[in-house]
Amino acid sequence: QQQVKQSPQSLIVQKGGISIINCAYENTAFDYFPWYQQFPGKGPALLIAIRPDVSEKKEGRFTISFNKSAKQFSLHIMDSQPGDSATYFCAASSKAAGNKLTFGGGTRVLVKP
Amino acid sequence: DAGVTQSPTHLIKTRGQQVTLRCSPISGHKSVSWYQQVLGQGPQFIFQYYEKEERGRGNFPDRFSARQFPNYSSELNVNALLLGDSALYLCASTLWGLNTEAFFGQGTRLTVV
């Protein structure tokens, strides 16, 4: 069963624009929500992560927004660059389940110059 | 400082054969997890090991097995290969405990023909 649902599956954004990717989860035991960036032929790279005790976290051009009551979280990529073109995965884990990661289906982002 | 290293990077096997994939975690990391990523999908959890003990197992058949060695490196074995086992196999390294950041290797691309 898919416990983390990610949307959209793909998006195209102009250089300098904002990319927004959304994820929804079902398991209220989840207590850690990372985002990973993956380029073709490479493994996922940890981008930014958040815990449910904060509603927003910003690192450079990347921001996570977290809504605990709605069980949703999102990634915003500001000032998108062609080098940001990649597949992005949201994930969730819980200490109770040994911190194994449950991933969303991924969003392929294409930034047009 | 070396990241997570996996070998081999690519592998082609015939149906019914057996395969062994290897992973060396980041120095100081004591936990290794294995994930399967089918093309176009998010990674799926297979196993988690800590201090040579299995700490978690995903929904995979008994054809999949793994172990962790005293130096914290790990092997994933898959017996009686099926065409559907073709995927990118990812190894993730974590410190364990409260630090939940997982860092992935570049993966092993397994093709079963």
Side-chain angles (χ1 to χ4, degrees), chain B residues 43-79:
Chain B
Q44 296 290 317
F45 172 76
I46 310 176
F47 285 111
Q48 182 183 57
Y49 275 80
Y50 173 67
E51 292 286 10
K52 297 178 291 181
E53 289 187 8
E54 181 183 305
R55 298 301 183 105
R57 183 183 185 115
N59 188 23
F60 281 81
D62 291 343
R63 299 185 295 106
F64 288 76
S65 64
R67 56 180 175 169
Q68 187 178 32
F69 299 99
N71 66 353
Y72 304 111
S73 67
S74 177
E75 286 183 352
L76 174 70
N77 295 283
V78 186
N79 294 321

Side-chain angles (χ1 to χ4, degrees), chain A residues 33-49:
Chain A
F33 302 88
W35 284 88
Y36 284 84
Q37 179 189 58
Q38 186 175 31
F39 293 104
K42 303 291 185 182
L46 181 63
L47 201 57
I48 186 172

Side-chain angles (χ1 to χ4, degrees), chain A residues 36 38 43-44 51 89 98-99 101, chain B residues 35 37 42-43 48 100 102 104-105:
Chain A
Y36 284 84
Q38 186 175 31
R51 293 193 181 276
F89 292 96
N99 298 317
L101 291 166
Chain B
Y35 291 79
Q37 185 177 23
Q48 182 183 57
T100 52
F104 286 84

Side-chain angles (χ1 to χ4, degrees), chain A residues 1 31-32 36 38 41-46 49 51 57 87 89 93 95 97-106 108, chain B residues 33 35 37 40-45 48 55 57-58 88 90 92 96-107 109:
Chain A
Q1 68 275 19
D31 54 20
Y32 175 70
Y36 284 84
Q38 186 175 31
K42 303 291 185 182
L46 181 63
R51 293 193 181 276
K57 182 175 181 179
T87 300
F89 292 96
S93 68
K95 284 192 289 293
N99 298 317
K100 69 173 188 179
L101 291 166
T102 299
F103 283 85
R108 181 175 291 184
Chain B
S33 297
Y35 291 79
Q37 185 177 23
Q41 297 181 19
Q44 296 290 317
F45 172 76
Q48 182 183 57
R55 298 301 183 105
R57 183 183 185 115
L88 181 67
L90 296 162
W96 191 252
L98 294 178
N99 189 322
T100 52
E101 290 185 336
F103 298 92
F104 286 84
Q106 83 282 2
R109 171 69 62 187

Side-chain angles (χ1 to χ4, degrees), chain A residues 48-51 54-59 62-65:
Chain A
I48 186 172
I50 198 169
R51 293 193 181 276
V54 298
S55 60
E56 186 175 281
K57 182 175 181 179
K58 183 177 180 179
E59 288 184 3
F62 302 92
T63 300
I64 299 179
S65 297

